[in-house]
């Protein structure tokens, strides 16, 4: 399949860690030592996250799992880092899914030959991957809600000053995917799983009526070839995804994968 589609989705997600850059705009000069420590800690996380291509997850995780403040500020710090950690974890899950090489090998001659015509493993992979994308989408939408954001601090027994302090620094994260680009990418991948499933079901249902040879899938008749082609159209409508070859020597429905 068109690998550039997956790469395009990854590019959309590529700046996920820059979300912490928004937090830095809320750093203010404070007379409170604990606030200064916590602001500095958040700024370090931002700096470590500012370059997604060279991100150091070990350093980020080390800071997310330590506590540099004390007393009530330590409670606030733990809540902030718990929230940030969950956002990071979900974002990493999205990137990992989008970067899965198996995504680009489902509709290939190699997979057709190795797992067809029953496609037992392919069907399991599609179902599993769809479920993972659905979970990431649910988590993404929930994490970027005020109720979820505040749930990390509301039951900590702190007075309103600390609640406001937490909210001021975390609220801007809710606007991270304001344009909906991440959710749109997840929706695209879910639609892709549906197309994969339809194609694999079609091939499985028509076992014995097609074969793969030298990178081409050959159907018994042109009607089956046309049905197969139409299943792929939505996915590749902007790409040249197949080269149809005029039947020779009685062969019908020859399509290059």
């Amino acid at each position: 399949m068109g690998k550039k589609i997956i790469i395009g989705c990854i590019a959309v997600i590529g700046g996920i860690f820059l979300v912490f850059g928004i937090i830095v705009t809320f750093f203010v000069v404070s007379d409170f030592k604990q606030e200064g420590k916590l602001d500095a800690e958040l700024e370090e996380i931002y700096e470590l996250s500012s370059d997604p291509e060279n991100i150091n997850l070990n350093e980020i995780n080390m800071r997310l799992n330590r506590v540099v403040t004390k007393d009530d500020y330590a409670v606030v710090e733990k809540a902030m880092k718990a929230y940030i950690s969950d956002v990071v974890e979900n974002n990493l899950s999205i990137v990992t899914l989008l970067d899965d090489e198996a995504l680009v090998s489902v509709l290939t001659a190699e997979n057709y030959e190795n797992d067809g015509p029953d496609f037992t493993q392919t069907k399991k992979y599609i179902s599993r991957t769809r479920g993972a994308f659905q979970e990431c989408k649910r988590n993404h939408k929930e994490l970027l809600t005020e109720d979820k954001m505040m749930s990390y601090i509301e039951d900590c027994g702190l007075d309103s000053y600390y609640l406001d302090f937490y909210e001021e620094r975390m609220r801007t994260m809710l606007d991270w995917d304001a344009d909906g680009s991440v959710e749109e990418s997840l929706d695209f991948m879910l639609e892709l799983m549906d197309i994969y499933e339809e194609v694999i079901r079609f091939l499985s249902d028509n076992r014995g009526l097609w074969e793969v040879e030298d990178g081409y899938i050959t159907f018994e008749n042109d009607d089956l070839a046309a049905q197969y082609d139409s299943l792929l159209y939505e996915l590749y409508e902007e790409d040249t995804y197949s080269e149809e070859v005029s039947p020779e020597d009685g062969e019908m429905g020859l399509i290059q994968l």
Side-chain angles (χ1 to χ4, degrees):
M1 59 162 290
K3 188 170 183 178
K4 66 181 182 180
I5 296 177
I6 305 300
I7 294 174
C9 287
I10 295 176
V12 171
I13 309 298
I16 57 176
F17 296 101
L18 294 178
V19 62
F20 303 116
I22 305 173
I23 299 173
V24 78
T25 63
F26 284 88
F27 291 162
V28 295
V29 177
S30 175
D31 292 333
F32 299 97
K33 187 176 181 180
Q34 295 302 309
E35 290 187 13
K37 281 185 176 181
L38 184 48
D39 283 346
E41 181 78 345
L42 293 175
E43 187 170 11
E44 284 186 29
I45 295 173
Y46 159 66
E47 291 296 337
L48 288 168
S49 308
S50 61
D51 184 1
E53 293 185 0
N54 298 296
I55 195 166
N56 189 328
L57 290 175
N58 290 331
E59 286 293 321
I60 291 175
N61 287 330
M62 183 271 288
R63 284 165 173 76
L64 289 175
N65 288 295
R66 74 182 185 184
V67 180
V68 299
T69 56
K70 60 184 180 180
D71 302 326
D72 288 340
Y73 282 103
V75 178
V76 175
E77 179 183 356
K78 291 176 183 178
M80 287 179 172
K81 290 182 176 180
Y83 178 47
I84 292 172
S85 293
D86 284 350
V87 173
V88 169
E89 182 179 357
N90 195 60
N91 289 340
L92 285 174
S93 295
I94 295 173
V95 172
T96 299
L97 285 169
L98 290 172
D99 202 33
D100 183 3
E101 287 296 326
L103 278 173
V104 299
S105 65
V106 172
L107 305 184
T108 62
E110 182 179 5
N111 189 53
Y112 288 2
E113 291 178 311
N114 293 339
D115 199 33
D118 294 325
F119 294 101
T120 302
Q121 296 304 315
T122 301
K123 291 174 182 176
K124 290 180 180 178
Y125 171 77
I126 293 172
S127 177
R128 183 174 63 251
T129 304
R130 178 193 284 111
F133 273 119
Q134 288 172 334
E135 182 179 4
C136 283
K137 181 180 176 180
R138 285 193 298 268
N139 291 337
H140 175 73
K141 290 174 68 69
E142 182 182 19
L143 284 165
L144 299 186
T145 63
E146 183 174 355
D147 286 346
K148 184 64 175 179
M149 177 195 76
M150 294 304 296
S151 71
Y152 291 80
I153 193 75
E154 284 178 337
D155 296 329
C156 294
L158 300 174
D159 64 37
S160 60
Y161 176 83
Y162 296 101
L163 295 177
D164 292 343
F165 180 82
Y166 170 91
E167 183 177 7
E168 181 183 62
R169 284 153 177 77
M170 295 292 101
R171 171 173 289 280
T172 191
M173 291 181 69
L174 302 181
D175 296 327
W176 162 46
D177 192 32
D179 64 354
S181 57
V182 175
E183 186 173 352
E184 183 179 348
S185 293
L186 291 171
D187 285 338
F188 172 83
M189 298 311 298
L190 288 171
E191 291 174 4
L192 182 67
M193 293 301 101
D194 291 340
I195 295 173
Y196 278 2
E197 188 172 59
E198 289 181 22
V199 172
I200 296 303
R201 184 189 300 117
F202 172 79
L203 294 175
S204 182
D205 290 345
N206 290 283
R207 68 190 68 202
L209 301 178
W210 58 271
E211 63 179 1
V212 174
E213 184 176 356
D214 297 330
Y216 290 84
I217 182 169
T218 306
F219 289 89
E220 187 173 278
N221 57 68
D222 285 338
D223 181 59
L224 288 174
Q227 291 181 56
Y228 176 81
D229 197 66
S230 67
L231 288 173
L232 301 183
Y233 177 76
E234 183 178 355
L235 176 61
Y236 295 104
E237 58 185 340
E238 295 182 358
D239 296 329
T240 302
Y241 63 91
S242 66
E243 178 185 347
E244 296 193 20
V245 181
S246 299
E248 296 178 1
D249 302 323
E251 290 186 317
M252 305 293 288
L254 199 62
I255 299 177
Q256 184 178 25
L257 297 173

